[in-house]
Amino acid sequence: YTVDVTASDLSGKTVKSSFVFVKDTALPAVTLSNISSDGTTNLIETTPKVYGTLSDAHAGLALASAVFLKNESGTFTEKKNYTFPASELSGKTSYNFTMDLVSLVGSDTLSDGQWKIRFTLSDGAGNSGTSESAAFMVDRNNPTVTISNVVDMTDESVVDQYVSKGVSYRAEGTAQDNGGLKEVRIQLLKDNKTVQLDGSDYKLGTLDAGGNWTCEIGAPFTESGVYNLVVTAVDLAGRTREEKLNL
């Protein structure tokens, strides 16, 4: 904005002076380039990073800090705080940053699961505000999976891993992942060739809240020989772990 002031005396002489000022009531902003606003982002790197930009169009940036929050039983809990170097921000209208989450949060604290970042920013005009990122998933580790039992439909366990032709079976086990499981796949191989389970190359196990899976594999053992029961756990980040049992 510009204010012009003109003074005139009785003889008609005039003098003019101008004063320019900026009205700045806008809050500084943060933009994250690799965190989607719809909450679907999965950071699957061993050392995940968050990239973004702090900006303030007029007075320039002054101070900025971040709080890292972890979803624990439905409540986002503060885990670590970080303050951006003021000397790098001061007066800048734009500041690009890279957050190495392992370095800033700590390898032990940065457990798999859902996270958010809460930013607090202020500019040179005294405007300040707080905003939170959308939730994002951190998944640095593969899931775990076990095969605990193979039983017939009368719940009798197989003995010494021997199965019989014409008998229907159910496989059981456990699967866990701190970031959440997508599915457990059950596949049967013989001589490195896929044996169909109910007309498909694999079946999906049924998971309960306690991390136990079960799958009715039917009666696929039509020939003598060694069969390989292959169970693959897939987590929400697409990481996998495989367990095998010979029958």
Side-chain angles (χ1 to χ4, degrees):
Y1 288 84
T2 301
V3 176
D4 293 326
V5 179
T6 302
S8 301
D9 62 16
L10 293 177
S11 66
K13 295 182 176 67
T14 63
V15 64
K16 181 179 178 179
S17 181
S18 297
F19 175 71
V20 178
F21 68 92
V22 177
K23 179 183 179 182
D24 184 2
T25 58
L27 299 178
V30 58
T31 303
L32 302 180
S33 58
N34 67 326
I35 303 298
S36 174
S37 61
D38 61 6
T40 61
T41 301
N42 286 320
L43 302 181
I44 63 174
E45 301 82 6
T46 304
T47 55
K49 297 177 176 61
V50 173
Y51 303 94
T53 302
L54 308 179
S55 60
D56 187 81
H58 299 296
L61 298 162
L63 299 172
S65 62
V67 179
F68 299 92
L69 306 102
K70 171 74 184 300
N71 188 347
E72 297 179 335
S73 302
T75 300
F76 281 90
T77 304
E78 295 185 8
K79 291 298 183 180
K80 284 288 183 177
N81 299 299
Y82 170 70
T83 299
F84 290 86
S87 59
E88 296 182 12
L89 296 178
S90 182
K92 290 184 178 179
T93 57
S94 181
Y95 176 80
N96 297 321
F97 64 85
T98 299
M99 287 180 158
D100 184 326
L101 299 186
V102 173
S103 296
L104 296 181
V105 179
S107 185
D108 292 338
T109 303
L110 189 66
S111 57
D112 290 354
Q114 200 175 42
W115 288 79
K116 285 183 179 180
I117 306 175
R118 181 188 299 140
F119 293 89
T120 300
L121 311 175
S122 63
D123 65 14
N127 300 305
S128 63
T130 299
S131 63
E132 280 191 3
S133 72
F136 57 90
M137 190 68 69
V138 170
D139 195 341
R140 302 166 61 208
N141 301 292
N142 291 346
T144 61
V145 63
T146 68
I147 303 171
S148 57
N149 208 0
V150 176
V151 301
D152 63 24
M153 301 316 289
T154 64
D155 289 332
E156 289 293 327
S157 299
V158 298
V159 178
D160 296 329
Q161 298 172 212
Y162 280 95
V163 291
S164 300
K165 179 179 179 180
V167 178
S168 293
Y169 292 94
R170 182 178 69 252
E172 302 172 342
T174 62
Q176 300 281 348
D177 187 83
N178 290 334
L181 284 169
K182 178 183 178 183
E183 62 188 21
V184 176
R185 302 172 188 164
I186 292 84
Q187 187 180 24
L188 192 65
L189 303 176
K190 186 177 187 299
D191 300 326
N192 292 321
K193 295 180 180 179
T194 300
V195 177
Q196 296 278 293
L197 298 175
D198 291 344
S200 300
D201 288 345
Y202 66 86
K203 292 189 71 174
L204 295 180
T206 300
L207 275 165
D208 66 18
N212 302 297
W213 64 265
T214 61
C215 182
E216 295 184 5
I217 60 176
F221 306 105
T222 58
E223 300 177 1
S224 297
V226 177
Y227 290 77
N228 309 117
L229 183 66
V230 183
V231 179
T232 305
V234 185
D235 67 18
L236 294 177
R239 295 182 182 273
T240 64
R241 189 178 297 276
E242 186 178 273
E243 184 73 8
K244 296 180 180 181
L245 177 67
N246 291 336
L247 299 168

